[in-house]
């Protein structure tokens, strides 16, 4: 770690007491080495401590203590190794128990008896092969999912992105038939993503029109099924398949929103192609994660004070769909103190990730710069 950067932070923070400076330097070195230096947007020579110095400097001296304490005591950072553990646990801890229960019911035995029963083990194997896994974004990290399940899952039942063309559907059908027989189809489809904070990206209703990833996938399957029928080819997904929505990380708010919106969509969509929906996550973040006025007032005040409304203007279309008129608390006003190793969610407070020129307020400088697909 650059000694000059530590000295600069000491000057910015006014750590004149040697004991305080030494204690904080030790903490900064530890956290930089074990977590924060691994953030994907950092580069050699400009990692956590260097960015922290720049970030702290944008605040008035009287506000720097609040900002620093927030980073030290409130920030939640999901590292690459932590995310990898969640990906590796997905099949054994989410898919396996679910399918084992179905296999046990099919054979008429208890779930814990499946592995010791040849018919139960065979039923589970069939159910697993007839499950299709679809990545919804780069965050699904299908590369890690494939490697961690080599020998357990076929490469022909994992699709890295939702944009599946007709040729790929034909290949999936051919490989599944080769393994499971001419009438075999996927009974379970897992839609996988890394994180959800509000649930709105996955499913939402805007001016009477349903949008989101679930609607896109439903429409994709309907179109592909019709195209296969017109071409006289086999389509690999069953008529009454189950959709499984899985996020490696979810907030409590998102889980509740997903459940209610899925229920509403099931009643509203006349053309839904699936039969049922199951929702799961690798880890559900507690409701206390969200920043609130009674516990986080000093930092939330900084979110108001050091805000550039140009951020909202830049993301206006995206924000309007969520029914918000500013971005002081992030998208959908989630006010999260959260950073993921590959990117910072726009549901986190913008003081963490936003970069603006100060056209309509305070010029914002990020600590963990976000790569934003919305503009």
């Amino acid at each position: 770690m650059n000694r000059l950067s530590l000295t600069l932070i000491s000057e910015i923070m006014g750590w004149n007491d040697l004991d305080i400076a030494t204690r904080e330097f030790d903490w900064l070195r530890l956290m930089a080495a074990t977590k924060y230096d691994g953030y994907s947007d950092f580069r050699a020579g400009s990692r956590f401590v260097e960015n922290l110095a720049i970030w702290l400097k944008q605040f008035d001296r009287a506000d720097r203590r609040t900002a620093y304490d927030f980073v030290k005591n409130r920030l939640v950072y999901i590292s690459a190794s932590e995310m990898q553990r969640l990906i590796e646990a997905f099949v054994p801890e989410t898919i396996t128990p679910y399918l084992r229960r179905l296999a046990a019911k099919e054979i008429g035995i208890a779930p814990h008896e499946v592995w010791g029963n040849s018919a139960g083990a065979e039923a589970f194997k069939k159910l697993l092969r007839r499950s299709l896994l679809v990545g919804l974004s780069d965050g699904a990290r299908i590369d890690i999912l494939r490697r961690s399940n080599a020998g357990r899952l076929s490469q022909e039942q994992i699709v890295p992105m939702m944009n599946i063309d007709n040729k790929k559907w034909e290949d999936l059908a051919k490989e599944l038939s080769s393994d499971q027989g001419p009438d075999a189809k996927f009974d379970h489809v897992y839609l996988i993503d890394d994180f959800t904070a509000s649930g709105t990206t996955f499913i939402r209703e805007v001016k009477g029109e349903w949008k989101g990833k679930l609607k896109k996938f439903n429409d994709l399957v309907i179109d592909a099924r019709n195209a296969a029928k017109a071409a006289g080819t086999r389509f690999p997904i069953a008529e009454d398949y189950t959709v499984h929505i899985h996020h490696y990380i979810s907030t409590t708010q998102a889980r509740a929103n997903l459940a209610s919106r899925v229920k509403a969509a099931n009643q509203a969509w006349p053309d839904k192609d699936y039969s049922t929906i199951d929702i799961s996550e690798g880890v559900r973040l507690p409701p206390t994660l969200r920043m609130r006025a009674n516990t986080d007032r000093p930092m939330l005040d900084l979110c108001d004070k050091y805000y550039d409304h140009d951020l909202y203007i830049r993301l206006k279309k995206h924000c309007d769909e969520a029914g918000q008129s500013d971005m002081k608390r992030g998208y959908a006003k989630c006010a999260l103190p959260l950073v993921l190793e590959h990117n910072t969610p726009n549901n986190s407070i913008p003081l963490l990730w936003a970069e603006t020129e100060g056209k309509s307020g305070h010029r914002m400088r990020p600590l963990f710069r976000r790569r934003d697909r919305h503009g």
Side-chain angles (χ1 to χ4, degrees):
M1 181 178 295
N2 191 328
R3 179 72 185 181
L4 181 61
S5 298
L6 290 172
T7 302
L8 177 58
I9 288 182
S10 181
E11 293 176 357
I12 291 172
M13 294 299 300
W15 292 334
N16 298 318
D17 187 294
L18 182 60
D19 289 340
I20 293 176
T22 300
R23 183 177 67 247
E24 298 303 332
F25 286 176
D26 288 343
W27 181 83
L28 288 167
R29 289 191 183 96
L30 173 66
M31 296 307 294
T34 57
K35 283 209 168 189
Y36 300 145
D37 275 354
Y39 188 62
S40 63
D41 196 71
F42 290 161
R43 299 293 180 265
S46 181
R47 298 196 182 277
F48 172 63
V49 172
E50 291 81 6
N51 280 275
L52 179 63
I54 296 170
W55 184 72
L56 288 169
K57 197 171 183 180
Q58 72 181 311
F59 303 110
D60 295 339
R61 182 170 292 275
D63 294 328
R64 291 172 186 170
R65 180 78 252 176
T66 295
Y68 182 82
D69 286 347
F70 164 80
V71 172
K72 187 173 181 180
N73 301 310
R74 195 69 168 87
L75 179 67
V76 174
Y77 182 96
I78 307 296
S79 69
S81 60
E82 290 167 332
M83 182 62 77
Q84 182 166 337
R85 297 292 86 78
L86 291 172
I87 298 169
E88 291 172 344
F90 169 45
V91 173
E93 295 187 11
T94 298
I95 293 182
T96 296
Y98 182 90
L99 296 183
R100 188 174 62 222
R101 288 193 295 271
L102 293 183
K105 184 177 181 180
E106 180 181 325
I107 302 302
I109 59 177
H112 69 271
E113 296 176 314
V114 167
W115 306 137
N117 182 294
S118 59
E122 186 61 30
F124 173 83
K125 182 179 179 181
K126 182 181 73 173
L127 286 167
L128 182 61
R129 181 59 183 89
R130 297 187 183 192
S131 298
L132 179 66
L133 282 62
V134 181
L136 298 185
S137 71
D138 292 341
R141 297 305 303 270
I142 295 299
D143 55 336
I144 298 177
L145 185 64
R146 286 182 189 274
R147 289 197 301 271
S148 61
N149 291 285
R152 178 185 291 159
L153 297 177
S154 167
Q155 298 300 302
E156 301 305 324
Q157 67 182 120
I158 306 174
V159 183
M161 297 297 287
M162 189 165 52
N163 298 326
I164 308 171
D165 59 25
N166 291 335
K167 181 61 170 64
K168 181 61 176 177
W169 286 122
E170 291 178 21
D171 291 343
L172 290 170
K174 180 180 178 181
E175 293 295 333
L176 183 59
S177 296
S178 176
D179 289 347
Q180 295 280 301
D183 297 327
K185 292 191 175 185
F186 291 113
D187 297 310
H188 299 271
V189 178
Y190 285 84
L191 304 181
I192 309 163
D193 218 339
D194 58 342
F195 174 70
T196 179
S198 65
T200 57
T201 301
F202 208 94
I203 183 170
R204 62 190 181 276
E205 187 178 14
V206 181
K207 297 180 180 179
E209 180 183 359
W210 287 95
K211 296 185 176 183
K213 295 179 180 180
L214 180 60
K215 182 65 165 60
K216 287 181 180 179
F217 185 77
N218 185 70
D219 292 348
L220 171 71
V221 172
I222 290 174
D223 290 344
R225 193 187 297 279
N226 291 336
K229 184 177 181 180
T233 58
R234 292 185 66 256
F235 187 68
I237 295 182
E239 295 282 350
D240 57 348
Y241 72 100
T242 298
V243 173
H244 301 262
I245 301 171
H246 183 83
H247 292 89
Y248 298 132
I249 304 170
S250 172
T251 66
T252 301
Q253 174 186 352
R255 176 57 183 262
N257 284 342
L258 273 176
S260 64
R261 291 178 182 185
V262 162
K263 182 178 180 180
N266 283 341
Q267 297 172 346
W269 292 358
D271 59 347
K272 68 182 181 71
D273 193 68
Y274 55 87
S275 61
T276 57
I277 289 183
D278 173 64
I279 304 171
S280 61
E281 62 277 312
V283 61
R284 192 184 307 176
L285 300 171
T288 53
L289 177 68
R290 183 175 184 174
M291 299 177 68
R292 302 179 185 277
N294 61 333
T295 55
D296 300 286
R297 173 51 63 193
M299 190 61 189
L300 291 176
D301 285 344
L302 296 196
C303 291
D304 296 338
K305 181 178 179 179
Y306 298 92
Y307 170 70
D308 183 2
H309 195 60
D310 191 54
L311 181 64
Y312 164 81
I313 296 172
R314 194 176 79 201
L315 305 173
K316 187 177 187 303
K317 180 181 178 182
H318 189 51
C319 292
D320 288 351
E321 288 187 354
Q324 61 189 106
S325 57
D326 65 65
M327 277 288 287
K328 293 178 181 179
R329 305 291 186 267
Y331 180 64
K333 299 182 179 179
C334 289
L336 298 180
L338 182 70
V339 174
L340 307 181
E341 55 86 21
H342 64 284
N343 206 8
T344 303
N346 60 5
N347 309 89
S348 291
I349 56 170
L351 273 184
L352 278 174
W353 55 265
E355 185 171 26
T356 72
E357 295 303 318
K359 295 178 181 178
S360 303
H362 191 277
R363 185 184 187 190
M364 303 176 77
R365 287 291 169 262
L367 177 54
F368 296 97
R369 181 181 288 103
R370 170 178 167 79
R371 295 299 181 187
D372 199 331
R373 66 184 178 89
H374 298 290

